[in-house]
């Protein structure tokens, strides 16, 4: 692929690629190189808009993407300190407003969209390969006393990082495979999707498994029931062969799967902690139902609302890092985190914008489905959004991989607000002033 064709979306590709760099052991999961480049990408889009003197977003796009600002501004004023309010608001604006808007503006047509989708697949294959190697060599994060948990370059301090990246790549690969592009591209995408199932399983991430199963099922149904049944049968057969026939981590995987339903009979400590923090978040919201306790306020109010069942923190070890207790600073549920810190105003603003994006994306998918043109882009965009909204039930923002969430919302925003029509939308360049007769004579 020629460089001039991908040059407009190159900043977004660089953001994705930087997530493949290793993170130092013991890192705290703060802002990394990808976050810095995402800020430069936003700045570049702003400069380009000022230079071109054109309207950056449609009215619908401006309303949907700008909707969270109101709730964030109110919650920032209620933060424990000005610094916490500014930091929290900046992070939310980066993930849910500025970077998605920048990605929306960088994408010109479906070709650019596919470049970003394949970038997700490439990053997932890289991180997945490292994760499989960690499992086979016993150099991953600690899991049940063995250092076999696949975490990629993210380390033990962010055990969800690799799982998130692999899920994004898997969903992109499934969407590309179900499209109507060249047969070779669809075959390669299908092979990539099958390969990514292995590191996803070895991540031992229950939330990622659930969100991926829901999303891939939705993608198959949206692509057509007949195809859904065929692919579902093949996937089930491969699962039986890998786990039942070759015994790929069958005992541990079976135990991990069974633990999903053990929330009342015999839950493990991680499940107990999660539900305890959920209850604490709801209790915080009851105190401040409209505005919440303020941005970055959950850790400060946690102990006052949590029961004694909450542990001191989760144990992390392995993948080059020494043993440490990682404090539990969030409820591991994005909706409850927003509800606790931003109240009903913030939740309605953020979740309302996400719901509007999903509706717009599904409408765009329905428009292109008869012709099949752009079907792969629609399946990728809607799939990424469905996965993220499902995963938010078990996780929240945090860690180096969070910037990929912003790129996903940008892809979904472009498809739902600009690229989901029967014809792909290409921004019209500014008009070139006509040359005068004197200049023409020269």
């Amino acid at each position: 692929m020629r460089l001039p064709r991908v040059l407009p979306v190159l900043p977004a590709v660089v953001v994705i690629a930087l997530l493949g760099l290793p993170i130092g052991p013991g890192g705290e999961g703060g802002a990394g190189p990808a976050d810095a480049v995402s800020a430069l990408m936003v700045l570049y889009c702003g400069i380009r808009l000022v230079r071109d003197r054109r309207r950056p977003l449609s009215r619908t796009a401006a309303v949907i993407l700008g909707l969270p600002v109101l709730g964030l501004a109110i919650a920032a004023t209620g933060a424990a300190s000005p610094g916490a309010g500014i930091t929290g608001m900046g992070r939310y604006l980066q993930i849910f407003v500025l970077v998605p808007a920048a990605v929306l503006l960088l994408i010109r047509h479906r070709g650019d969209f596919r470049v970003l989708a394949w970038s997700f697949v490439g990053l997932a294959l890289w991180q997945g390969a490292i994760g499989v190697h960690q499992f086979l060599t016993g150099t991953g994060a600690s899991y049940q006393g063995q250092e076999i948990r696949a975490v990629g370059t993210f380390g033990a301090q962010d055990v969800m990082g690799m799982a998130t990246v692999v899920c994004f790549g898997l969903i992109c690969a499934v969407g590309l495979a179900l499209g109507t592009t060249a047969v070779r591209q669809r075959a390669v995408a299908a092979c990539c999707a099958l390969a990514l199932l292995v590191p996803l399983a070895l991540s031992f991430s229950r939330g990622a498994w659930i969100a991926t199963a829901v999303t891939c099922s939705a993608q198959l149904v949206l692509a057509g029931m007949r195809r859904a049944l065929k692919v579902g049968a093949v996937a089930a057969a491969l699962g039986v062969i890998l786990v039942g026939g070759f015994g790929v981590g069958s005992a541990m995987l079976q135990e991990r799967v069974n633990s999903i339903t053990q929330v009342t009979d015999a839950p493990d400590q991680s499940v107990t902690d999660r539900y305890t923090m959920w209850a604490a978040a709801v209790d915080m919201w009851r105190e401040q139902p409209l505005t919440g306790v303020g941005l970055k306020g959950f850790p400060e109010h946690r102990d006052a609302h949590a029961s004694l069942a909450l542990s001191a923190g989760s144990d992390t070890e392995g993948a080059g890092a020494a043993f440490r207790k990682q404090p539990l600073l969030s409820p591991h549920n994005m909706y409850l985190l927003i509800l606790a810190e931003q109240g009903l105003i913030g939740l309605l603003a953020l979740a309302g914008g996400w719901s509007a994006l999903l509706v717009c994306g599904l409408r765009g998918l329905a428009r292109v489905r008869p012709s099949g043109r752009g079907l792969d882009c629609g399946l990728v965009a809607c799939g990424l959004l469905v996965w993220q909204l499902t995963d938010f039930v078990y996780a929240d923002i945090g860690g180096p991989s969070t910037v990929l969430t912003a790129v996903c919302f940008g892809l979904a925003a472009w498809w739902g607000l600009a690229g989901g029509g029967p014809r792909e939308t290409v921004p019209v360049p500014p008009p070139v002033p006509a040359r005068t007769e004197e200049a023409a004579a020269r």
Side-chain angles (χ1 to χ4, degrees):
M1 185 174 292
R2 297 178 181 177
L3 183 60
R5 295 181 59 184
V6 301
L7 195 58
V9 293
L10 191 58
V13 174
V14 173
V15 170
I16 297 172
L18 287 175
L19 267 299
L21 298 178
I23 298 172
E28 296 297 329
D35 294 284
V37 173
S38 72
L40 294 177
M41 179 177 68
V42 172
L43 180 62
Y44 164 74
C45 286
I47 294 174
R48 195 182 71 172
L49 292 176
V50 172
R51 182 195 63 188
D52 294 344
R53 297 180 181 179
R54 65 185 178 89
R55 185 176 178 179
L57 298 172
S58 66
R59 183 176 302 175
T60 304
V63 170
I64 292 178
L65 293 178
L67 196 59
V69 177
L70 174 62
L72 291 172
I74 296 175
T77 60
S81 66
I86 294 174
T87 303
M89 186 172 183
R91 185 62 161 167
Y92 274 95
L93 289 177
Q94 174 203 8
I95 302 303
F96 299 118
V97 179
L98 297 178
V99 173
V103 174
L104 167 62
L105 294 171
L106 289 176
I107 298 176
R108 301 165 302 170
H109 45 66
R110 292 166 187 163
D112 288 345
F113 186 101
R114 294 184 181 105
V115 169
L116 294 180
W118 279 110
S119 299
F120 271 103
V121 176
L123 175 63
L125 290 172
W126 166 250
Q127 291 286 357
I130 296 175
V132 172
H133 179 267
Q134 290 170 335
F135 175 82
L136 295 176
T137 59
T139 56
S142 178
Y143 178 75
Q144 295 185 353
Q146 304 179 57
E147 296 185 356
I148 58 172
R149 188 170 190 175
V151 292
T153 63
F154 295 96
Q157 69 275 7
D158 185 14
V159 294
M160 286 296 299
M162 189 214 73
T164 300
V165 169
V166 169
C167 288
F168 287 157
L170 176 60
I171 292 164
C172 289
V174 170
L176 292 168
L178 294 175
T180 57
T181 53
V183 176
R184 179 179 298 179
Q185 293 185 25
R186 285 186 281 137
V188 172
C191 292
C192 292
L194 293 175
L196 290 173
L197 289 175
V198 177
L200 176 60
L202 299 180
S203 70
F204 297 105
S205 174
R206 294 168 293 197
W209 294 346
I210 295 172
T212 303
V214 171
T215 302
C216 291
S217 300
Q219 286 179 303
L220 289 171
V221 171
L222 291 172
M225 287 302 300
R226 183 179 299 179
R227 185 180 297 181
L229 294 175
K230 292 180 180 179
V231 176
V234 173
L238 288 174
V240 171
I241 294 173
L242 287 175
V243 178
F246 293 102
V248 180
S250 56
M252 290 185 175
L253 289 175
Q254 184 64 40
E255 181 180 352
R256 193 66 167 170
V257 171
N258 291 338
S259 68
I260 295 175
T261 59
Q262 293 174 347
V263 296
T264 56
D265 296 334
D268 58 30
Q269 187 59 47
S270 64
V271 174
T272 300
D273 287 340
R274 187 182 303 270
Y275 281 84
T276 303
M277 291 189 292
W278 287 10
V282 173
D283 202 33
M284 293 179 202
W285 165 70
R286 287 173 179 166
E287 286 191 357
Q288 299 288 338
L290 289 179
T291 59
V293 298
L295 292 178
K296 298 282 187 178
F298 183 87
E300 182 179 351
H301 294 80
R302 182 200 64 185
D303 293 339
H305 296 83
S307 68
L308 296 177
L310 184 65
S311 65
S314 59
D315 299 339
T316 61
E317 187 180 11
F323 174 84
R324 59 168 293 187
K325 278 279 187 181
Q326 190 165 350
L328 304 173
L329 302 178
S330 70
H332 296 292
N333 181 305
M334 191 65 199
Y335 304 107
L336 292 180
L337 177 63
I338 297 171
L339 193 65
E341 295 186 345
Q342 303 179 42
L344 282 175
I345 296 176
L347 181 63
L348 291 176
L350 277 165
W354 301 339
S355 301
L357 278 182
L358 183 58
V359 171
C360 292
L362 292 175
R363 289 176 60 186
L365 194 59
R367 284 195 294 265
V368 303
R369 187 172 174 179
S371 65
R373 296 178 180 177
L375 179 63
D376 56 336
C377 297
L379 292 174
V380 168
C382 293
L384 290 173
L385 190 55
V386 169
W387 188 93
Q388 195 63 74
L389 297 183
T390 306
D391 185 68
F392 275 166
V393 177
Y394 306 94
D396 47 47
I397 58 174
S401 61
T402 301
V403 69
L404 287 182
T405 298
V407 179
C408 289
F409 275 104
L411 291 173
W414 180 83
W415 173 257
L417 302 172
R423 294 182 180 179
E424 51 188 326
T425 303
V426 182
V428 180
V432 179
R435 296 186 302 172
T436 61
E437 293 182 2
E438 180 180 0
R442 293 177 184 175

